[in-house]
């Protein structure tokens, strides 16, 4: 049986810290590999996610933006998970 996730704040904060940290590292790595000053479009499966001119400031903006997105996404995931798992089963055993 799957249990409810009790601490929503902790899970959301963890998601925010991880996403912010990894986005910071990704942008820092892209900046260190090669920066010709032109805007860089990062895409996932052909969908444009965001556009940055790679710089140390963009890395910090990615850290902050990733943190906010991770907190919102983590809280939404836990809310949905608890909503689905928390309902009593109506199926007969």
């Amino acid at each position: 049986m799957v249990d409810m996730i009790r601490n929503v704040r902790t899970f959301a904060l963890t998601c925010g810290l991880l996403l912010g940290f990894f986005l910071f590292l990704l942008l820092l790595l892209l900046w260190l590999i090669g920066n010709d000053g032109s805007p860089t479009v990062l895409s996932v499966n052909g969908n444009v996610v965001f556009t940055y001119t790679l710089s140390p400031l963009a890395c910090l903006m990615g850290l902050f933006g990733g943190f906010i997105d991770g907190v919102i996404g983590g809280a939404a995931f836990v809310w949905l998970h608890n909503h689905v798992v928390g309902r009593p089963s109506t199926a007969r055993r």
Side-chain angles (χ1 to χ4, degrees), residues 25 32 51 63-64 84:
L25 286 181
L32 291 175
T51 303
L63 175 71
F64 180 72
V84 170

Side-chain angles (χ1 to χ4, degrees), residues 24-36 40 54-56 59:
F24 173 79
L25 286 181
L26 173 70
L27 291 173
L28 185 64
L29 182 66
L30 288 173
W31 178 63
L32 291 175
I33 286 174
N35 181 14
D36 59 357
T40 301
L54 295 175
S55 67
C59 296

Side-chain angles (χ1 to χ4, degrees), residues 9-72:
R9 277 188 247 156
T10 303
F11 188 85
L13 183 63
T14 302
C15 288
L17 289 174
L18 287 175
L19 185 61
F21 177 71
F22 286 127
L23 189 56
F24 173 79
L25 286 181
L26 173 70
L27 291 173
L28 185 64
L29 182 66
L30 288 173
W31 178 63
L32 291 175
I33 286 174
N35 181 14
D36 59 357
S38 62
T40 301
V41 177
L42 298 178
S43 64
V44 177
N45 296 332
N47 297 324
V48 174
V49 178
F50 46 78
T51 303
Y52 281 118
T53 300
L54 295 175
S55 67
L57 180 61
C59 296
L60 293 176
M61 288 173 27
L63 175 71
F64 180 72
F67 175 77
I68 297 299
D69 287 344
V71 167
I72 293 170

